[in-house]
Amino acid sequence: MTGKLDQKTAIITGSGGGIGKEIAFSYAREGAKIVIADFAEEAMNTTVQELREAGFEALGVKVNVADKQEVEAMVDKAAEAFGRVDILVNNAGVGDNMKAAANVEDVTWDKVMDINLNGVMYTIRKILPHFQENGGGVIVNMASITGLTGGRGGLAYTTVKHAVVGMTKNVASHYGPENIRCNAIAPAQVQTGFSASMDNVDSFGMEAATRGVNLMPKAGTVEDIANIALFFASEDSAYINGVALAADAGWSAY
Ligand SMILES: NC(=O)c1ccc[n+]([C@@H]2O[C@H](COP(=O)([O-])OP(=O)(O)OC[C@H]3O[C@@H](n4cnc5c(N)ncnc54)[C@H](O)[C@@H]3O)[C@@H](O)[C@H]2O)c1
């Protein structure tokens, strides 16, 4: 049986759980070798074990994407283990506890920027020369509907996801001629551990950000998002580059 990602190797950050884990399985089912890159070591090891038990090739690399050296070592380890890397999914991310502009603390701002923005830049910067050497590659960035709209998250998270969309388009534009594609997914609400990890929530920010939530037709599933990530990673989307695709059941179309 042939798969859409046969002979490919994919690094997926934040894939010990949530959306990233589902992407890992969807890529593996299509023939890809998987690098589970997460800073939660136990979840990472469990996911690697589950993939292997299902008959797939997988490697775990413990990494904090906010740490430049660790990110660089992660790409080196993946290339060393599997010979090459073809697909990078920048999925690791954290929330901002819905802190509105007047209430945002430096510690929240810095953490969100370090992980959700610097982390994406570090991986892209490191992988590009590798992709150039290989004659191409694919990057999938996990943005958010907050990266395409104004009021649906806290200040830091909204700002950072807009930046991820900008980075996606810049990379696609500059490196598209070298057969490197870079697209982003912008999900609305997906049931994962993400929202449960919020603490010390800003009640003003939360109320403002969720004013229009009753207009969202439905929440998404991790499978919904993994389907899009597979489309972006495979040749099915060969003519698409620099796009940030809303995955929100039409919520932002209103
Ligand atoms: N769940 C949603 O509703 C939703 C909506 C829009 C966008 N997103 C985005 O999707 C992505 C995945 O979110 P999720 O819902 O699966 O979240 P999650 O919290 O379930 O999973 C995130 C994973 O990333 C890992 N991670 C966090 N910080 C890390 C770091 N510094 N280095 C390495 N790994 C790290 C965690 O250990 C975890 O395994 C995030 O970028 C998030 O912003 C989520």
Side-chain angles (χ1 to χ4, degrees), residues 124 128-129 132 170-181 241:
I124 290 177
L128 280 171
Q132 287 171 312
N170 180 271
V171 171
S173 173
H174 283 19
Y175 295 93
E178 294 182 76
N179 198 29
I180 294 168
R181 295 190 300 114
N241 205 1

Side-chain angles (χ1 to χ4, degrees), residues 14 18-19 38-39 63-65 91 142-143 157 161 187-188 190 192-194:
I19 295 169
D38 205 300
F39 71 174
V63 63
N64 174 4
V65 296
N91 168 77
M142 200 55 68
Y157 193 74
K161 292 299 188 180
V190 185
T192 65
F194 192 79

Side-chain angles (χ1 to χ4, degrees), residues 13-21 23 37-41 43-44 61-67 70-71 90-95 111 114-116 119-120 141-146 157 160-161 185-197 220 222 225 247:
T13 68
S15 49
I19 295 169
K21 180 171 181 174
I23 294 173
D38 205 300
F39 71 174
E41 200 166 11
M44 176 193 87
V61 180
K62 185 172 185 284
V63 63
N64 174 4
V65 296
D67 184 310
E70 288 190 21
V71 166
N90 283 310
N91 168 77
V94 292
K111 184 178 174 192
D114 286 348
I115 296 174
N116 297 13
V120 179
N141 291 329
M142 200 55 68
S144 159
I145 203 62
T146 64
Y157 193 74
V160 90
K161 292 299 188 180
I185 307 173
Q189 195 191 328
V190 185
Q191 217 49 58
T192 65
F194 192 79
S195 46
S197 69
V222 289
I225 308 306

Side-chain angles (χ1 to χ4, degrees), residues 145-162:
I145 203 62
T146 64
L148 299 176
T149 58
R152 295 169 206 221
L155 179 79
Y157 193 74
T158 302
T159 302
V160 90
K161 292 299 188 180
H162 272 76

